[in-house]
């Protein structure tokens, strides 16, 4: 059973930074892509970033390019999301996610992911 546990969220002022972590267990971490998504109140869950199993391919939503960095440490079974220059519109619950199978193209939509963490709240004050 794959388990994902996020941490690192919090309340931060606009322009600040946070580093989110996602600890994974239950299978060989490096064999699968991983992704970050977020969901703001009243909105659908949206793609933020994804990374291939070995970490060589990275994908970002246009809204976060240049400010967010996804990375992974396969030795620690941990996924990261470095968030810089935070904006109030980044306020959301952030989820890490994992697919149940391998993909040739790193997935970027929620429906391609089968395992989800409980989420960590990021709140940005103006």
């Amino acid at each position: 059973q794959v388990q994902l546990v996020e941490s690192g969220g919090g309340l931060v002022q606009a322009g600040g930074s946070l580093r989110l972590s996602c600890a994974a267990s239950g299978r060989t971490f490096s064999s699968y892509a991983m992704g970050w998504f977020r969901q703001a109140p009243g909105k659908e869950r949206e793609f933020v970033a994804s990374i291939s199993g070995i970490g060589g391919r990275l994908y970002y939503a246009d809204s976060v390019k240049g400010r967010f960095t996804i990375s992974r440490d396969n030795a620690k079974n941990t996924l990261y999301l470095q968030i810089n220059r935070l904006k109030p519109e980044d306020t959301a619950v952030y989820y890490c996610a994992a697919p149940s199978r391998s993909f040739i193209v790193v997935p970027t939509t929620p429906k391609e992911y089968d395992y989800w963490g409980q989420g960590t709240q990021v709140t940005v004050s103006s």
Side-chain angles (χ1 to χ4, degrees):
Q1 180 73 11
V2 175
Q3 291 190 325
L4 304 172
V5 180
E6 302 97 333
S7 61
L11 173 64
V12 63
Q13 289 188 333
S17 298
L18 282 174
R19 189 193 197 198
L20 308 184
S21 299
C22 172
S25 62
R27 66 180 184 184
T28 304
F29 183 66
S30 60
S31 296
Y32 299 89
M34 295 287 294
W36 285 101
F37 293 79
R38 66 185 181 185
Q39 188 166 17
K43 296 187 177 181
E44 292 187 354
R45 191 165 298 189
E46 66 173 358
F47 169 73
V48 173
S50 59
I51 185 170
S52 60
I54 299 177
R57 289 173 286 156
L58 313 176
Y59 299 87
Y60 295 96
D62 288 342
S63 59
V64 307
K65 281 181 182 176
R67 299 188 299 122
F68 290 20
T69 302
I70 188 171
S71 63
R72 65 192 297 161
D73 185 336
N74 287 340
K76 296 182 178 179
N77 289 354
T78 303
L79 177 72
Y80 301 101
L81 186 69
Q82 178 68 41
I83 309 175
N84 297 327
R85 304 201 309 274
L86 276 156
K87 304 176 181 180
E89 52 264 43
D90 294 320
T91 295
V93 177
Y94 283 71
Y95 299 90
C96 71
S100 61
R101 63 182 180 91
S102 298
F103 286 83
I104 295 175
V105 178
V106 178
T108 60
T109 64
K111 65 180 181 181
E112 296 172 293
Y113 288 82
D114 304 286
Y115 304 105
W116 296 83
Q118 83 288 349
T120 186
Q121 177 72 46
V122 172
T123 303
V124 185
S125 62
S126 58

